[in-house]
Amino acid sequence: MTSQTKSRWADDEEDAALEAQRKREKELKKKAKAEKQRKLEEEEILRKKNFAGATAASEDGVSAHDEVDAELGRPSKRRRLSPEQDQARVEPASAKPLRFPAPEWGPCRHVDNFEKLNHIEEGSYGWVSRAKEIATGDVVALKKLKMDNAIDGFPVTGLREIQTLMASRHENIVALREVVMGDKLDDVFLVMDFLEHDLKTLQEDMLDGFSPSEIKTLLLQLTSAVEYLHSNWILHRDLKTSNLLMNNRGQMKVADFGMARYYGDPPPKLTQLVVTLWYRAPELLLGAEKYGAEIDLWSVGCIFGELLTKQPLLQGKNEVDQLAKIFELCGIPTEATWPGFKRLPNARSLRLPNTHQTTGAVIRAKFPLLTNAGTALLTSLLSLNPAQRPTASEVLTHPYFKEDPRPKSTAIFPTFPSKAGQEKRRRVASPSAPKRGDAPKIVGDAADFSGIFADRDEEEVGGGFALKLI
Amino acid sequence: MAPEPDVTSLSNPLATVEQLSTSSSQLDGVPPDLENSLRFAGAQLTQAAGILLRLPQDIIAQAIVIFYRFYVGSEGGSFRINALKDVSAASLYMTAKISFVPQSTRSVLNVYAYLTSSTSPLRQPSETSAKPNPESYYLSEGSYQSARATLLQTESILLRALSFITQVTLPHHLALTYLQTLGVLPPTPTVKSTALAARTLAYLNTGLFSPQLLYLTHQPSALAVAAIYLAAREVGVRLTSAEWWEVFDVDREELGFLVVGLGSCEGWIKGEKGRWLGKSCPLTLEELETEL
């Protein structure tokens, strides 16, 4: 036994020495190779220069022109064009093929390339801080991925977040610049554009909320991001005001792709445990295993309502309460309005009242200042039946955005002061995205909704007096 | 001017000239021809494991491309440090994880234990039909736990080396769309059109094994066009006489290069089989050290 341990010791030391030796040799070889490459490149440049010189010299008239141009301080156009013109003569009338972007890959850079400035907030899937790239001085947001769910290796949510963010290049989606790593293999940071505000905090700090024209601009930006995602087969699955970032130039960007993933048609079986409770669509609460882009549009509807009232629209305390709040606002689903909803897993234990409520009435009463087109849009986004919700591209062409007041140009959007605490965001009590695990089941008497509309007849009708835009 | 179309979902990141001219393995003293053999063995291992796990071919193909990307360039992985069987397993596990058909670590490791065992069909020349010995590929709980730790660590190393670029766009679905555009895939398939589509996909799958790393040097559209060109010639389907490849943004020179590249795969694979006849290409670190 002991002798074996001893020999192992010796082995290890020898190994380590060998390893170090090998590493040194490799470094040297790498350097030599790089040097060779550099020399080759230099020769290439020299060759090109000579070539350019030769062509310039051969066309005396042109070079004379060039000299005149250079004296006038104008950039010489002819010289750059002449070799291409030669080529064009050899190969006439050839169509110009589209060149595909070919990004490169290499190992992740180290997080030490960034200097941390201050902590911003803790999201559902990681810590975010403001940082400066040392080489360029760019201010960025650094998001550290949470790795605590590492039973299956690198968390699939993190992989999907990186995958979907990398694939999304849109002006209203926060750009992922790169992924950097720390000293350990599980220190992974996403480097993203830094934006000054998030819509939730911004709205809470405002006195009057956004004006109707500003709301239209915000909603259009959000919907065009959602349309881009859906046309690329990406579901966001956690749209909410705290995930919508704003800069000081009236631009909104969708962030936090911690729940995002690719989907397909026919829809694959997906987890229902997605989307922060207040923004979660009824089919998810009822336990649908197959769902699609419609769940994001429900969230868009909730955000629309929240922008109008400065308050989250449906603040349920738990899954059952959330459903109750939804039914209160949107009415009770029936087989006629939502065919097949009774077959959803959690719908079986529901006890629903038999009264028929017209959905428009409640929404109209809750938003007395909204125009007819606006109410129609909100009502359609908050359709209980997912099939009746408009697609993102249908929302973009909705008449609501064409009527006065028109969407406000981002150029004249108000700017908002950054708070003294710099970009540290205040944490207000609000639910966060669900954690991975088993989807909750709604069972028994907990889901008795028969009393929701019981006293409705005795309530005061009408919301007092308010001027309405028609 | 019309806005540039967004074609990122149709394209791939490509290896740079420096990445192709040198590799970490070569710097570690692996001769280039052995390196090619190791790449081929890794691709073959990944393909075989994917079939045993009943994964769709698109996921297997993506895993093979990820495997190649890892070992390319002086800053990439080295065959003497990260064993090809571990990287192959990590590529397949990671690719499946973000797809619609995730696999458990246990299924993946069982399949790799079987394929890398001493009596695995990959190790034996195809002529002998000796049944693999179950004792040689039984994965005990202890070895499962240590293999799992290696798998998960290799996954992280793989992701770091690729700077988390997991996107692989395959030419397969493009090829089918191109065939339809060329009007050679009628709505009711004929014997010839079925054969044409099958040969096109076969060329694309064979191209995955090319020592020229075609999937790392050419965009999916070019691969699709070259496969269609070869398949149409072989099946005897007349395509239009015009320079149709230009419609798909491929020029004659690139097409010519890829036609030769895809066409030479068969000979290369036969050569590889002959080279390792009677012995096995090293799949583990120890085997590689003995080979060197």
Side-chain angles (χ1 to χ4, degrees):
Chain A
M1 244 350 237
T2 40
S3 68
Q4 206 185 356
T5 350
K6 254 184 192 166
S7 77
R8 286 211 59 132
W9 248 108
D11 258 8
D12 274 358
E13 263 174 18
E14 222 168 80
D15 276 354
L18 246 160
E19 183 82 345
Q21 167 91 9
R22 199 196 271 169
K23 251 190 187 160
R24 272 197 301 278
E25 278 171 12
K26 193 167 172 181
E27 260 333 287
L28 281 176
K29 278 190 200 162
K30 246 190 213 175
K31 267 187 199 150
K33 198 100 187 184
E35 180 69 14
K36 204 171 146 195
Q37 184 70 30
R38 203 178 52 76
K39 273 189 185 152
L40 269 175
E41 269 164 19
E42 270 172 10
E43 273 170 30
E44 180 73 5
I45 290 167
L46 212 69
R47 209 171 53 80
K48 270 190 190 152
K49 259 189 200 159
N50 288 340
F51 177 71
T55 38
S58 68
E59 292 175 39
D60 280 348
V62 176
S63 65
H65 258 296
D66 285 344
E67 273 157 31
V68 174
D69 279 352
E71 272 165 22
L72 288 172
R74 265 184 289 151
S76 61
K77 281 182 188 164
R78 297 289 296 272
R79 184 187 285 173
R80 268 193 286 124
L81 273 177
S82 56
E84 281 172 36
Q85 276 172 349
D86 286 348
Q87 264 182 356
R89 251 174 259 143
V90 183
E91 256 181 285
S94 168
K96 185 171 154 280
L98 179 71
R99 284 293 136 226
F100 291 90
E104 299 163 7
W105 72 87
C108 286
R109 291 202 298 159
H110 196 275
V111 70
D112 284 353
N113 288 299
F114 296 87
E115 180 194 337
K116 273 187 200 170
L117 298 175
N118 61 302
H119 192 68
I120 306 176
E121 66 173 341
E122 185 178 341
S124 49
Y125 279 88
W127 299 268
V128 186
S129 52
R130 202 165 67 106
K132 192 171 82 178
E133 185 172 3
I134 293 166
T136 60
D138 286 356
V139 174
V140 296
L142 265 190
K143 176 172 176 178
K144 184 175 193 292
L145 280 187
K146 277 189 182 169
M147 302 287 281
D148 38 37
N149 193 23
I151 318 147
D152 294 323
F154 200 92
V156 66
T157 47
L159 279 179
R160 288 204 192 114
E161 174 167 14
I162 297 170
Q163 182 192 32
T164 49
L165 263 178
M166 268 183 184
S168 306
R169 265 158 257 208
H170 188 270
E171 56 176 348
N172 296 120
I173 296 172
V174 69
L176 173 65
R177 299 176 170 209
E178 63 177 303
V179 182
V180 294
M181 281 182 118
D183 292 325
K184 285 184 294 175
L185 272 176
D186 52 0
D187 287 344
V188 180
F189 301 86
L190 310 191
V191 183
M192 290 180 290
D193 286 349
F194 175 76
L195 282 91
E196 289 86 350
H197 309 280
D198 73 81
L199 205 54
K200 183 175 172 58
T201 339
L202 203 56
Q203 187 167 246
E204 277 161 4
D205 293 344
M206 288 168 85
L207 276 178
D208 299 325
F210 290 104
S211 72
S213 63
E214 287 162 6
I215 289 175
K216 284 186 189 177
T217 308
L218 293 173
L219 208 56
L220 278 178
Q221 295 189 49
L222 168 63
T223 315
S224 75
V226 173
E227 193 227 16
Y228 176 88
L229 291 177
H230 290 174
S231 67
N232 283 290
W233 295 99
I234 296 171
L235 290 180
H236 185 279
R237 305 201 296 183
D238 197 17
L239 291 172
K240 54 176 173 180
T241 42
S242 55
N243 282 345
L244 303 179
L245 306 184
M246 289 279 304
N247 64 15
N248 269 334
R249 294 172 297 286
Q251 204 176 35
M252 188 186 76
K253 287 179 197 271
V254 177
D256 199 341
F257 279 51
M259 292 255 156
R261 68 160 295 154
Y262 279 102
Y263 69 109
D265 185 20
K269 211 174 140 178
L270 305 169
T271 169
Q272 308 113 48
L273 209 58
V274 289
V275 192
T276 304
L277 185 61
W278 294 349
Y279 303 85
R280 199 180 299 166
E283 67 265 30
L284 291 172
L285 290 162
L286 290 175
E289 282 175 339
K290 297 198 166 173
Y291 54 84
E294 303 88 8
I295 62 152
D296 279 345
L297 285 142
W298 175 274
S299 308
V300 170
C302 294
I303 292 167
F304 186 14
E306 184 170 340
L307 287 173
L308 291 167
T309 60
K310 278 189 69 189
Q311 286 293 321
L313 189 59
L314 298 157
Q315 308 186 39
K317 287 192 271 298
N318 51 41
E319 273 82 2
V320 176
D321 191 37
Q322 185 69 26
L323 265 182
K325 292 245 162 44
I326 290 175
F327 291 161
E328 249 176 274
L329 183 70
C330 307
I332 302 288
T334 61
E335 273 300 312
T337 59
W338 187 356
F341 92 95
K342 283 225 165 92
R343 284 189 296 280
L344 291 174
N346 291 343
R348 288 186 208 110
S349 52
L350 292 186
R351 268 196 285 158
L352 299 171
N354 290 322
T355 45
H356 281 274
Q357 287 287 327
T358 39
T359 61
V362 186
I363 290 181
R364 195 178 293 268
K366 198 172 162 77
F367 300 97
L369 296 174
L370 196 58
T371 63
N372 282 336
T375 315
L377 176 61
L378 183 59
T379 313
S380 65
L381 284 169
L382 295 179
S383 306
L384 291 173
N385 181 358
Q388 279 169 5
R389 276 172 230 152
T391 64
S393 31
E394 282 162 8
V395 175
L396 287 176
T397 56
H398 197 273
Y400 169 65
F401 297 107
K402 305 222 168 50
E403 64 182 20
D404 287 328
R406 295 299 179 89
K408 188 180 259 183
S409 152
T410 52
I412 53 166
F413 227 75
T415 59
F416 309 95
S418 286
K419 284 274 147 55
Q422 276 299 308
E423 281 62 25
K424 169 124 183 162
R425 282 177 198 142
R426 207 151 33 87
R427 296 281 293 165
V428 194
S430 73
S432 50
K435 302 277 184 293
R436 285 169 71 78
D438 288 329
K441 297 276 179 293
I442 297 177
V443 277
D445 290 341
D448 185 359
F449 295 136
S450 44
I452 291 183
F453 296 115
D455 300 326
R456 172 91 9 140
D457 297 338
E458 290 139 45
E459 276 171 23
E460 291 279 345
V461 184
F465 176 77
L467 261 180
K468 183 175 177 184
L469 298 163
I470 297 180
Chain B
M1 208 179 102
E4 283 279 302
D6 182 8
V7 286
T8 37
S9 58
L10 294 179
S11 55
N12 267 331
L14 297 183
T16 61
V17 177
E18 294 91 79
Q19 277 175 326
L20 292 172
S21 66
T22 178
S23 77
S24 197
S25 310
Q26 283 175 27
L27 295 174
D28 276 341
V30 179
D33 61 329
L34 178 61
E35 188 185 23
N36 281 336
S37 287
L38 290 169
R39 282 195 182 124
F40 174 71
Q44 204 183 15
L45 179 62
T46 316
Q47 178 73 52
I51 291 172
L52 289 182
L53 287 165
R54 299 199 182 89
L55 287 171
Q57 178 64 19
D58 61 332
I59 290 166
I60 303 175
Q62 289 180 27
I64 293 177
V65 175
I66 296 270
F67 171 85
Y68 283 146
R69 283 185 192 168
F70 176 73
Y71 283 116
V72 142
S74 61
E75 292 186 299
S78 159
F79 282 111
R80 285 185 82 171
I81 294 170
N82 296 108
L84 79 86
K85 75 171 176 64
D86 295 337
V87 176
S88 162
S91 310
L92 198 59
Y93 175 67
M94 195 273 293
T95 313
K97 190 196 275 187
I98 47 176
S99 76
F100 294 138
V101 279
Q103 298 294 314
S104 68
T105 47
R106 195 175 283 277
S107 322
V108 171
L109 291 171
N110 276 335
V111 162
Y112 274 85
Y114 171 70
L115 286 174
T116 55
S117 68
S118 54
T119 54
S120 139
L122 279 185
R123 302 243 189 215
Q124 296 169 2
S126 49
E127 289 78 38
T128 61
S129 53
K131 261 199 144 184
N133 175 13
E135 269 173 37
S136 67
Y137 57 83
Y138 172 71
L139 196 62
S140 70
E141 190 56 27
S143 21
Y144 165 69
Q145 289 301 345
S146 74
R148 186 170 160 280
T150 312
L151 175 70
L152 301 186
Q153 203 205 0
T154 314
E155 183 191 32
S156 284
I157 294 172
L158 178 70
L159 286 168
R160 182 174 59 178
L162 301 175
S163 55
F164 287 84
I165 299 176
T166 53
Q167 181 221 354
V168 179
T169 308
L170 293 175
H172 298 60
H173 53 286
L174 273 183
L176 293 180
T177 312
Y178 290 179
L179 284 171
Q180 282 174 333
T181 313
L182 288 164
V184 286
L185 281 195
T188 43
T190 61
V191 178
K192 230 174 187 180
S193 75
T194 314
L196 175 65
R199 282 312 289 168
T200 306
L201 294 183
Y203 268 111
L204 290 175
N205 286 330
T206 314
L208 282 168
F209 296 98
S210 160
Q212 291 168 305
L213 305 178
L214 298 176
Y215 278 69
L216 265 54
T217 52
H218 292 270
Q219 292 293 356
S221 64
L223 291 167
V225 163
I228 291 172
Y229 184 93
L230 280 166
R233 215 172 48 175
E234 192 181 311
V235 179
V237 172
R238 257 187 67 80
L239 300 172
T240 160
S241 54
E243 302 199 330
W244 55 272
W245 44 87
E246 284 192 353
V247 177
F248 305 118
D249 302 302
V250 180
D251 54 38
R252 177 185 283 279
E253 195 183 343
E254 193 176 10
L255 172 64
F257 179 86
L258 280 173
V259 163
V260 176
L262 286 178
S264 66
C265 281
E266 194 184 345
W268 148 258
I269 292 170
K270 275 191 183 139
E272 271 306 290
K273 281 207 156 166
R275 182 176 171 188
W276 299 102
L277 200 66
K279 50 180 180 167
S280 157
C281 184
L283 300 176
T284 64
L285 286 183
E286 298 79 48
E287 285 166 29
L288 179 59
E289 293 309 315
T290 340
E291 180 71 28
L292 288 166

